[in-house]
Amino acid sequence: MTSSRHAPAPSSAPVAADPSWLVDSPAVGTGLTARPCGDPLRPAEPPATAHPVALALSGGGFRATLSALGFVRLLADTGLLPRLRYSSSVSGGSVANGCLATAWPSLRQAGFTSRAVDDLVIDPLVERVCSHSLKQALVLGLWRTVGPATRTDLLAGRFDDWFFHGTELQRLDPEVRWIVNAANLTTGARFTFERDVYGDYTIGLARTAGTRLRLSRAVSASAAVPGAFPPVVLDPAPFPCATHPPALLDGGTYDNTGLEAIDGDRYRHTFLYVLNAGGLLRPGGYGRVPLVRDLARANSLLYRQSTALRTRAVVERFERARDAGPDGALPPGARRGVLVQLSTAFPADGPQALRRWRAAFPEQRAYDGKDLALVPTVFDRLDRGLCRALVHRGWWLGGAALAAHHPELLPDDLTALRPPPR
């Protein structure tokens, strides 16, 4: 942005893109092997708690944002939200993650109740998304890009105005390790923005203290869809092993699930709660212009493959934990948790707890005759009813997943739960 309100601090300010890095980058498949920086700086761990929870929220525009907030609401309903210690996100999921992080101190003060999540997180976002068009706001602000500012700077400014209100990374609540993921085109690695550090494993980490680096800058990098938004190019000076400026784009180009940051064995005793609200690859015709058509389809296939591989690996870990029961010692490579997609279809004749969940809360997976998993991946104004339907869908899927795989985490009396309004 050109206004001083949205100008990032010098150490995190965008710099002019240097195209010379492109041909040498492992990101373009030259066969070079990325090497760890070896720096000792690591993110601070959150305070210990009994039975901690980790949250992973995928990209997918406002479709992902709204369903993610419903997913979080289910955590509040079941009493799991106070145990949240890790929250990792990509793109649209990062908007939800940022809203949750911004409201966290107030949520804690209110006792992490469902009503507090509605009042402090869900309702303000729904009101904003259903009454204003982010796309239109960006188009009307294009005149601000005459000069050094970019469309991604505009996006950061709108995120700040709409959702994050000037929140700086270093001011985020330390009770949770908040992780906003982008993709570093320079190194081909996942780039992390956290409360105390930012960077990736090849260039090393830098401290956020004193940078005044804003949450909105991190989320805009995480959501900078290639083609629509230019990379966020940072000053390489703070990173101990950087040889070229980090160039950051949508984290979904590297890992659209947000899982990589929290899928290591060191987190194996953390209950993993994952929502993938990313786009779907549908069979059939996919365009008429050969070059554009084939490149777009190949990109979609690569995305589908990477997401499927991550999903499969996590589900295999869940399956290894199944035989140990809800309280038994975890065998090597095992982990407890749930993973659902907006397109997940739970069987009607599933476990008894799932049948009880369905009886208490009938499934509503469509709005206006269309499956909610097929809502376009956009940052645009959405119908109020659609917003509420997506929130409800995320909530219902979270509860159905627990009922199917971890019913011990749901209350015995499901009527005590109050679903989000549709």
Side-chain angles (χ1 to χ4, degrees):
M1 299 291 293
T2 55
S3 67
S4 60
R5 177 177 180 181
H6 299 304
S11 62
S12 62
V15 298
D18 176 8
S20 65
W21 56 265
L22 184 62
V23 294
D24 295 325
S25 173
V28 294
T30 60
L32 301 178
T33 301
R35 297 179 179 179
C37 175
D39 61 312
L41 187 60
R42 291 293 179 269
E45 286 298 312
T49 188
H51 309 294
V53 173
L55 184 62
L57 303 172
S58 81
F62 281 148
R63 178 189 65 237
T65 303
L66 291 157
S67 55
L69 292 183
F71 211 55
V72 169
R73 170 61 142 67
L74 198 279
L75 287 180
D77 291 341
T78 55
L80 295 174
L81 191 57
R83 289 157 44 183
L84 182 67
R85 289 298 177 268
Y86 303 90
S87 189
S88 177
S89 62
V90 177
S91 196
S94 291
V95 176
N97 198 15
C99 289
L100 181 62
T102 301
W104 192 258
S106 298
L107 290 172
R108 181 173 54 233
Q109 186 175 9
F112 295 110
T113 63
S114 304
R115 178 64 180 271
V117 173
D118 286 345
D119 292 346
L120 298 171
V121 184
I122 296 178
D123 291 351
L125 186 138
V126 168
E127 183 59 33
R128 173 63 69 172
V129 170
C130 73
S131 59
H132 298 80
S133 168
L134 178 60
K135 182 173 71 174
Q136 184 180 44
L138 294 174
V139 170
L140 293 176
L142 281 177
W143 63 273
R144 295 178 181 272
T145 62
V146 178
T150 69
R151 295 187 303 278
T152 312
D153 296 329
L154 290 180
L155 182 64
R158 294 289 75 78
F159 281 160
D160 218 17
D161 290 340
W162 286 24
F163 306 124
F164 308 135
H165 316 299
T167 300
E168 296 178 1
L169 287 178
Q170 65 180 340
R171 306 297 181 191
L172 294 179
D173 196 288
E175 188 173 40
V176 178
R177 185 176 156 198
W178 309 102
I179 306 167
V180 176
N181 298 289
N184 188 347
L185 298 181
T186 309
T187 63
R190 178 185 66 87
F191 189 100
T192 188
F193 289 95
E194 305 194 22
R195 179 184 62 85
D196 52 337
V197 298
Y198 66 120
D200 70 41
Y201 81 98
T202 69
I203 64 174
L205 297 176
R207 297 189 185 277
T208 60
T211 65
R212 302 189 65 188
L213 183 60
R214 291 187 176 184
L215 177 60
S216 58
R217 171 65 62 190
V219 176
S220 69
S222 181
V225 179
F229 298 99
V232 174
V233 183
L234 301 180
D235 182 357
F239 306 102
C241 299
T243 58
H244 297 85
L248 312 180
L249 273 177
D250 190 328
T253 61
Y254 179 83
D255 168 24
N256 199 47
T257 64
L259 277 169
E260 181 174 278
I262 49 177
D263 70 353
D265 197 57
R266 63 183 298 185
Y267 308 108
R268 63 195 297 259
H269 295 293
T270 302
F271 188 88
L272 183 56
Y273 197 62
V274 187
L275 174 66
N276 183 359
L280 301 177
L281 188 150
R282 288 176 282 176
Y286 52 97
R288 296 182 178 180
V289 181
L291 179 60
V292 175
R293 175 195 67 197
D294 295 344
L295 287 174
R297 193 63 167 184
N299 181 68
S300 296
L301 289 170
L302 291 171
Y303 160 76
R304 182 178 186 178
Q305 179 193 46
S306 64
T307 302
L309 289 173
R310 290 191 183 276
T311 298
R312 185 180 305 164
V314 170
V315 170
E316 287 175 353
R317 293 188 180 192
F318 293 162
E319 290 175 343
R320 292 191 190 106
R322 181 184 303 162
D323 294 339
D327 300 312
L330 286 175
R335 190 163 187 185
R336 294 187 179 94
V338 294
L339 183 152
V340 291
Q341 302 180 124
L342 281 189
S343 58
T344 295
F346 286 94
D349 58 348
Q352 181 180 2
L354 179 57
R355 296 197 299 271
R356 288 179 55 238
W357 177 262
R358 284 185 177 279
F361 309 107
E363 182 175 12
Q364 301 177 54
R365 62 179 300 152
Y367 178 77
D368 197 24
K370 297 179 181 179
D371 193 301
L372 291 167
L374 301 179
V375 171
T377 303
V378 295
F379 285 118
D380 203 355
R381 180 182 178 275
L382 299 181
D383 177 81
R384 186 182 302 270
L386 177 58
C387 289
R388 290 295 181 183
L390 285 165
V391 172
H392 187 277
R393 180 64 177 163
W395 180 88
W396 190 93
L397 285 169
L402 292 182
H405 302 289
H406 291 277
E408 72 279 0
L409 297 178
L410 289 173
D412 293 333
D413 181 11
L414 293 180
T415 61
L417 301 181
R418 180 177 60 88
R422 277 182 60 91

